[in-house]
PDB file of all heavy atoms in Angstrom:
ATOM      1  N   GLY A 227     133.559 141.125 129.459  1.00 98.00           N
ATOM      2  CA  GLY A 227     134.322 142.385 129.247  1.00 98.00           C
ATOM      3  C   GLY A 227     135.824 142.131 129.068  1.00 98.00           C
ATOM      4  O   GLY A 227     136.185 140.948 128.933  1.00 98.00           O
ATOM      5  N   ALA A 228     136.630 143.191 128.990  1.00 98.00           N
ATOM      6  CA  ALA A 228     138.014 143.067 128.692  1.00 98.00           C
ATOM      7  C   ALA A 228     138.767 142.238 129.762  1.00 98.00           C
ATOM      8  O   ALA A 228     138.385 142.163 130.905  1.00 98.00           O
ATOM      9  CB  ALA A 228     138.644 144.463 128.559  1.00 98.00           C
ATOM     10  N   THR A 229     139.926 141.707 129.332  1.00 97.00           N
ATOM     11  CA  THR A 229     140.755 140.895 130.249  1.00 97.00           C
ATOM     12  C   THR A 229     141.202 141.631 131.443  1.00 97.00           C
ATOM     13  O   THR A 229     141.150 141.139 132.576  1.00 97.00           O
ATOM     14  CB  THR A 229     142.071 140.406 129.460  1.00 97.00           C
ATOM     15  OG1 THR A 229     141.599 139.648 128.301  1.00 97.00           O
ATOM     16  CG2 THR A 229     142.949 139.542 130.291  1.00 97.00           C
ATOM     17  N   ASP A 230     141.665 142.884 131.251  1.00 96.00           N
ATOM     18  CA  ASP A 230     142.101 143.737 132.335  1.00 96.00           C
ATOM     19  C   ASP A 230     140.861 144.442 132.963  1.00 96.00           C
ATOM     20  O   ASP A 230     140.246 145.247 132.317  1.00 96.00           O
ATOM     21  CB  ASP A 230     143.043 144.773 131.789  1.00 96.00           C
ATOM     22  CG  ASP A 230     143.644 145.725 132.900  1.00 96.00           C
ATOM     23  OD1 ASP A 230     143.102 145.615 134.025  1.00 96.00           O
ATOM     24  OD2 ASP A 230     144.586 146.467 132.589  1.00 96.00           O
ATOM     25  N   PRO A 231     140.514 144.111 134.223  1.00 96.00           N
ATOM     26  CA  PRO A 231     139.334 144.710 134.831  1.00 96.00           C
ATOM     27  C   PRO A 231     139.344 146.250 134.800  1.00 96.00           C
ATOM     28  O   PRO A 231     138.237 146.857 134.721  1.00 96.00           O
ATOM     29  CB  PRO A 231     139.380 144.217 136.276  1.00 96.00           C
ATOM     30  CG  PRO A 231     140.204 142.991 136.242  1.00 96.00           C
ATOM     31  CD  PRO A 231     141.201 143.193 135.112  1.00 96.00           C
ATOM     32  N   ALA A 232     140.534 146.834 134.765  1.00 95.00           N
ATOM     33  CA  ALA A 232     140.631 148.284 134.753  1.00 95.00           C
ATOM     34  C   ALA A 232     140.127 148.847 133.452  1.00 95.00           C
ATOM     35  O   ALA A 232     139.743 150.022 133.288  1.00 95.00           O
ATOM     36  CB  ALA A 232     142.066 148.732 135.056  1.00 95.00           C
ATOM     37  N   LYS A 233     140.215 148.027 132.395  1.00 97.00           N
ATOM     38  CA  LYS A 233     139.772 148.454 131.048  1.00 97.00           C
ATOM     39  C   LYS A 233     138.425 147.961 130.689  1.00 97.00           C
ATOM     40  O   LYS A 233     137.829 148.332 129.683  1.00 97.00           O
ATOM     41  CB  LYS A 233     140.764 147.960 130.016  1.00 97.00           C
ATOM     42  CG  LYS A 233     142.111 148.638 130.192  1.00 97.00           C
ATOM     43  CD  LYS A 233     143.074 148.257 129.034  1.00 97.00           C
ATOM     44  CE  LYS A 233     144.452 148.929 129.295  1.00 97.00           C
ATOM     45  NZ  LYS A 233     145.558 148.007 129.043  1.00 97.00           N
ATOM     46  N   ALA A 234     137.872 147.059 131.489  1.00 97.00           N
ATOM     47  CA  ALA A 234     136.545 146.505 131.159  1.00 97.00           C
ATOM     48  C   ALA A 234     135.419 147.533 131.514  1.00 97.00           C
ATOM     49  O   ALA A 234     135.487 148.197 132.484  1.00 97.00           O
ATOM     50  CB  ALA A 234     136.310 145.195 131.993  1.00 97.00           C
ATOM     51  N   GLU A 235     134.362 147.508 130.644  1.00 98.00           N
ATOM     52  CA  GLU A 235     133.300 148.459 130.845  1.00 98.00           C
ATOM     53  C   GLU A 235     132.600 148.137 132.210  1.00 98.00           C
ATOM     54  O   GLU A 235     132.492 146.970 132.569  1.00 98.00           O
ATOM     55  CB  GLU A 235     132.286 148.311 129.736  1.00 98.00           C
ATOM     56  CG  GLU A 235     132.850 148.568 128.327  1.00 98.00           C
ATOM     57  CD  GLU A 235     133.147 150.034 128.061  1.00 98.00           C
ATOM     58  OE1 GLU A 235     132.967 150.846 128.937  1.00 98.00           O
ATOM     59  OE2 GLU A 235     133.534 150.364 126.897  1.00 98.00           O
ATOM     60  N   PRO A 236     132.126 149.108 132.890  1.00 98.00           N
ATOM     61  CA  PRO A 236     131.565 148.913 134.196  1.00 98.00           C
ATOM     62  C   PRO A 236     130.351 147.971 134.277  1.00 98.00           C
ATOM     63  O   PRO A 236     130.034 147.446 135.332  1.00 98.00           O
ATOM     64  CB  PRO A 236     131.228 150.315 134.738  1.00 98.00           C
ATOM     65  CG  PRO A 236     131.258 151.196 133.533  1.00 98.00           C
ATOM     66  CD  PRO A 236     132.135 150.541 132.524  1.00 98.00           C
ATOM     67  N   TRP A 237     129.630 147.841 133.190  1.00 98.00           N
ATOM     68  CA  TRP A 237     128.463 146.982 133.182  1.00 98.00           C
ATOM     69  C   TRP A 237     128.804 145.523 132.860  1.00 98.00           C
ATOM     70  O   TRP A 237     127.938 144.622 132.903  1.00 98.00           O
ATOM     71  CB  TRP A 237     127.424 147.455 132.154  1.00 98.00           C
ATOM     72  CG  TRP A 237     127.945 147.637 130.761  1.00 98.00           C
ATOM     73  CD1 TRP A 237     128.071 146.664 129.828  1.00 98.00           C
ATOM     74  CD2 TRP A 237     128.415 148.847 130.213  1.00 98.00           C
ATOM     75  NE1 TRP A 237     128.628 147.218 128.705  1.00 98.00           N
ATOM     76  CE2 TRP A 237     128.836 148.524 128.896  1.00 98.00           C
ATOM     77  CE3 TRP A 237     128.560 150.156 130.679  1.00 98.00           C
ATOM     78  CZ2 TRP A 237     129.384 149.475 128.072  1.00 98.00           C
ATOM     79  CZ3 TRP A 237     129.126 151.122 129.853  1.00 98.00           C
ATOM     80  CH2 TRP A 237     129.523 150.757 128.530  1.00 98.00           C
ATOM     81  N   THR A 238     130.073 145.245 132.628  1.00 98.00           N
ATOM     82  CA  THR A 238     130.516 143.837 132.419  1.00 98.00           C
ATOM     83  C   THR A 238     130.916 143.174 133.687  1.00 98.00           C
ATOM     84  O   THR A 238     131.140 143.908 134.737  1.00 98.00           O
ATOM     85  CB  THR A 238     131.715 143.776 131.438  1.00 98.00           C
ATOM     86  OG1 THR A 238     132.802 144.484 132.024  1.00 98.00           O
ATOM     87  CG2 THR A 238     131.347 144.389 130.068  1.00 98.00           C
ATOM     88  N   ILE A 239     131.011 141.857 133.754  1.00 98.00           N
ATOM     89  CA  ILE A 239     131.336 141.108 134.947  1.00 98.00           C
ATOM     90  C   ILE A 239     132.725 141.536 135.467  1.00 98.00           C
ATOM     91  O   ILE A 239     132.867 141.860 136.645  1.00 98.00           O
ATOM     92  CB  ILE A 239     131.253 139.606 134.660  1.00 98.00           C
ATOM     93  CG1 ILE A 239     129.803 139.226 134.439  1.00 98.00           C
ATOM     94  CG2 ILE A 239     131.801 138.834 135.878  1.00 98.00           C
ATOM     95  CD1 ILE A 239     129.599 137.756 133.876  1.00 98.00           C
ATOM     96  N   ARG A 240     133.696 141.529 134.594  1.00 98.00           N
ATOM     97  CA  ARG A 240     135.076 141.918 134.990  1.00 98.00           C
ATOM     98  C   ARG A 240     135.103 143.413 135.394  1.00 98.00           C
ATOM     99  O   ARG A 240     135.871 143.743 136.383  1.00 98.00           O
ATOM    100  CB  ARG A 240     136.058 141.594 133.871  1.00 98.00           C
ATOM    101  CG  ARG A 240     136.321 140.077 133.821  1.00 98.00           C
ATOM    102  CD  ARG A 240     137.072 139.730 132.519  1.00 98.00           C
ATOM    103  NE  ARG A 240     137.663 138.379 132.579  1.00 98.00           N
ATOM    104  CZ  ARG A 240     138.301 137.859 131.620  1.00 98.00           C
ATOM    105  NH1 ARG A 240     138.550 138.531 130.478  1.00 98.00           N
ATOM    106  NH2 ARG A 240     138.818 136.626 131.726  1.00 98.00           N
ATOM    107  N   GLY A 241     134.409 144.211 134.700  1.00 98.00           N
ATOM    108  CA  GLY A 241     134.426 145.690 135.040  1.00 98.00           C
ATOM    109  C   GLY A 241     133.736 145.935 136.366  1.00 98.00           C
ATOM    110  O   GLY A 241     134.138 146.793 137.136  1.00 98.00           O
ATOM    111  N   ALA A 242     132.696 145.199 136.653  1.00 98.00           N
ATOM    112  CA  ALA A 242     131.917 145.436 137.895  1.00 98.00           C
ATOM    113  C   ALA A 242     132.643 144.857 139.082  1.00 98.00           C
ATOM    114  O   ALA A 242     132.647 145.412 140.143  1.00 98.00           O
ATOM    115  CB  ALA A 242     130.533 144.836 137.739  1.00 98.00           C
ATOM    116  N   PHE A 243     133.217 143.662 138.920  1.00 98.00           N
ATOM    117  CA  PHE A 243     133.670 142.893 140.086  1.00 98.00           C
ATOM    118  C   PHE A 243     135.149 142.621 140.153  1.00 98.00           C
ATOM    119  O   PHE A 243     135.653 142.169 141.191  1.00 98.00           O
ATOM    120  CB  PHE A 243     132.910 141.545 140.198  1.00 98.00           C
ATOM    121  CG  PHE A 243     131.419 141.633 140.103  1.00 98.00           C
ATOM    122  CD1 PHE A 243     130.709 141.077 139.038  1.00 98.00           C
ATOM    123  CD2 PHE A 243     130.743 142.346 141.079  1.00 98.00           C
ATOM    124  CE1 PHE A 243     129.307 141.162 138.989  1.00 98.00           C
ATOM    125  CE2 PHE A 243     129.351 142.479 141.049  1.00 98.00           C
ATOM    126  CZ  PHE A 243     128.686 141.891 139.984  1.00 98.00           C
ATOM    127  N   GLY A 244     135.905 142.868 139.073  1.00 97.00           N
ATOM    128  CA  GLY A 244     137.313 142.534 139.051  1.00 97.00           C
ATOM    129  C   GLY A 244     138.144 143.708 139.510  1.00 97.00           C
ATOM    130  O   GLY A 244     137.670 144.809 139.834  1.00 97.00           O
ATOM    131  N   CYS A 245     139.437 143.406 139.711  1.00 95.00           N
ATOM    132  CA  CYS A 245     140.379 144.466 140.104  1.00 95.00           C
ATOM    133  C   CYS A 245     141.782 144.032 139.732  1.00 95.00           C
ATOM    134  O   CYS A 245     142.037 142.853 139.367  1.00 95.00           O
ATOM    135  CB  CYS A 245     140.315 144.799 141.610  1.00 95.00           C
ATOM    136  SG  CYS A 245     140.790 143.399 142.647  1.00 95.00           S
ATOM    137  N   PHE A 246     142.736 144.950 139.805  1.00 91.00           N
ATOM    138  CA  PHE A 246     144.163 144.672 139.609  1.00 91.00           C
ATOM    139  C   PHE A 246     144.827 144.774 140.964  1.00 91.00           C
ATOM    140  O   PHE A 246     144.802 145.868 141.556  1.00 91.00           O
ATOM    141  CB  PHE A 246     144.763 145.563 138.580  1.00 91.00           C
ATOM    142  CG  PHE A 246     146.166 145.241 138.188  1.00 91.00           C
ATOM    143  CD1 PHE A 246     146.395 144.285 137.217  1.00 91.00           C
ATOM    144  CD2 PHE A 246     147.292 145.714 138.852  1.00 91.00           C
ATOM    145  CE1 PHE A 246     147.731 143.904 136.828  1.00 91.00           C
ATOM    146  CE2 PHE A 246     148.562 145.343 138.532  1.00 91.00           C
ATOM    147  CZ  PHE A 246     148.790 144.429 137.501  1.00 91.00           C
ATOM    148  N   LYS A 247     145.324 143.677 141.515  1.00 88.00           N
ATOM    149  CA  LYS A 247     145.853 143.686 142.856  1.00 88.00           C
ATOM    150  C   LYS A 247     147.098 142.803 142.911  1.00 88.00           C
ATOM    151  O   LYS A 247     147.095 141.712 142.328  1.00 88.00           O
ATOM    152  CB  LYS A 247     144.788 143.175 143.862  1.00 88.00           C
ATOM    153  CG  LYS A 247     145.012 143.571 145.244  1.00 88.00           C
ATOM    154  CD  LYS A 247     143.797 143.436 146.097  1.00 88.00           C
ATOM    155  CE  LYS A 247     144.092 143.613 147.546  1.00 88.00           C
ATOM    156  NZ  LYS A 247     143.794 142.446 148.339  1.00 88.00           N
ATOM    157  N   ASP A 248     148.086 143.242 143.673  1.00 82.00           N
ATOM    158  CA  ASP A 248     149.308 142.439 143.858  1.00 82.00           C
ATOM    159  C   ASP A 248     149.882 141.994 142.529  1.00 82.00           C
ATOM    160  O   ASP A 248     150.385 140.844 142.421  1.00 82.00           O
ATOM    161  CB  ASP A 248     149.047 141.258 144.748  1.00 82.00           C
ATOM    162  CG  ASP A 248     148.430 141.607 146.087  1.00 82.00           C
ATOM    163  OD1 ASP A 248     148.793 142.697 146.579  1.00 82.00           O
ATOM    164  OD2 ASP A 248     147.614 140.842 146.645  1.00 82.00           O
TER     165      ASP A 248
END
Side-chain angles (χ1 to χ4, degrees):
T229 303
D230 181 351
K233 294 187 181 137
E235 302 287 4
W237 53 85
T238 63
I239 293 169
R240 286 168 164 178
F243 307 119
C245 64
F246 187 87
K247 198 164 170 238
D248 304 327

